Amino acid sequence: MRVMLRKVTKTPLDFEVKSNEITFKGYLEYHGAKLILLSASLSGKLEKPCDICAQDFILDVNEHVEFFISDGLYENDPSIELDVVESFDGFADIDALLHSEIELIRSDYHRCDNCTDREEFEF
């Protein structure tokens, strides 16, 4: 799903996309100065190898994400506390953003229930 950024207004534009078992649902809203706020939730299940034993397990995903999408080059503004993703073609590719968020979750440290219960791996 691609959304033309210049058509996003102060009225939130809802979206929902899915990738396998993950749902990415939220809205886009014009913030000002070529910045579009994306506020969404990621929910579902994701298969991932345990970072201790390497066995695949199902990770429950329930995350809230918020960041800005810049319509063009973003010039750093110290008052902006959220991350900013730059778009150079005037569109927000929601599917690509979903896949990027999934990869961020995958790259995080996760342990399966068996390794979580074992004391020698407690940190």
Side-chain angles (χ1 to χ4, degrees), residues 12-31:
L13 174 65
D14 295 333
F15 67 84
E16 181 174 345
V17 293
K18 295 183 181 188
S19 174
N20 295 328
E21 301 292 321
I22 301 290
T23 300
F24 191 40
K25 182 177 180 177
Y27 65 88
L28 296 168
E29 181 178 50
Y30 181 75
H31 180 74

Side-chain angles (χ1 to χ4, degrees), residues 7-113:
K7 293 201 175 196
V8 177
T9 65
K10 289 264 186 201
T11 303
L13 174 65
D14 295 333
F15 67 84
E16 181 174 345
V17 293
K18 295 183 181 188
S19 174
N20 295 328
E21 301 292 321
I22 301 290
T23 300
F24 191 40
K25 182 177 180 177
Y27 65 88
L28 296 168
E29 181 178 50
Y30 181 75
H31 180 74
K34 295 173 133 186
L35 291 176
I36 307 296
L37 174 67
L38 181 142
S39 180
S41 63
L42 287 159
S43 59
K45 300 193 179 301
L46 182 64
E47 186 173 349
K48 182 189 180 323
C50 172
D51 287 315
I52 300 293
C53 69
Q55 293 295 313
D56 285 343
F57 73 103
I58 302 299
L59 178 66
D60 288 320
V61 175
N62 188 14
E63 302 278 333
H64 179 77
V65 295
E66 240 181 26
F67 54 85
F68 287 111
I69 302 170
S70 174
D71 190 4
L73 184 64
Y74 171 68
E75 297 194 23
N76 193 19
D77 179 349
S79 68
I80 301 293
E81 295 181 7
L82 296 176
D83 289 333
V84 177
V85 174
E86 295 173 326
S87 172
F88 295 109
D89 66 358
F91 288 88
D93 187 339
I94 305 298
D95 293 307
L97 293 169
L98 165 60
H99 291 291
S100 176
E101 291 298 323
I102 289 172
E103 290 308 311
L104 282 172
I105 292 169
R106 284 186 192 276
S107 69
D108 215 355
Y109 186 84
H110 298 283
R111 297 184 285 178
C112 69
D113 289 339

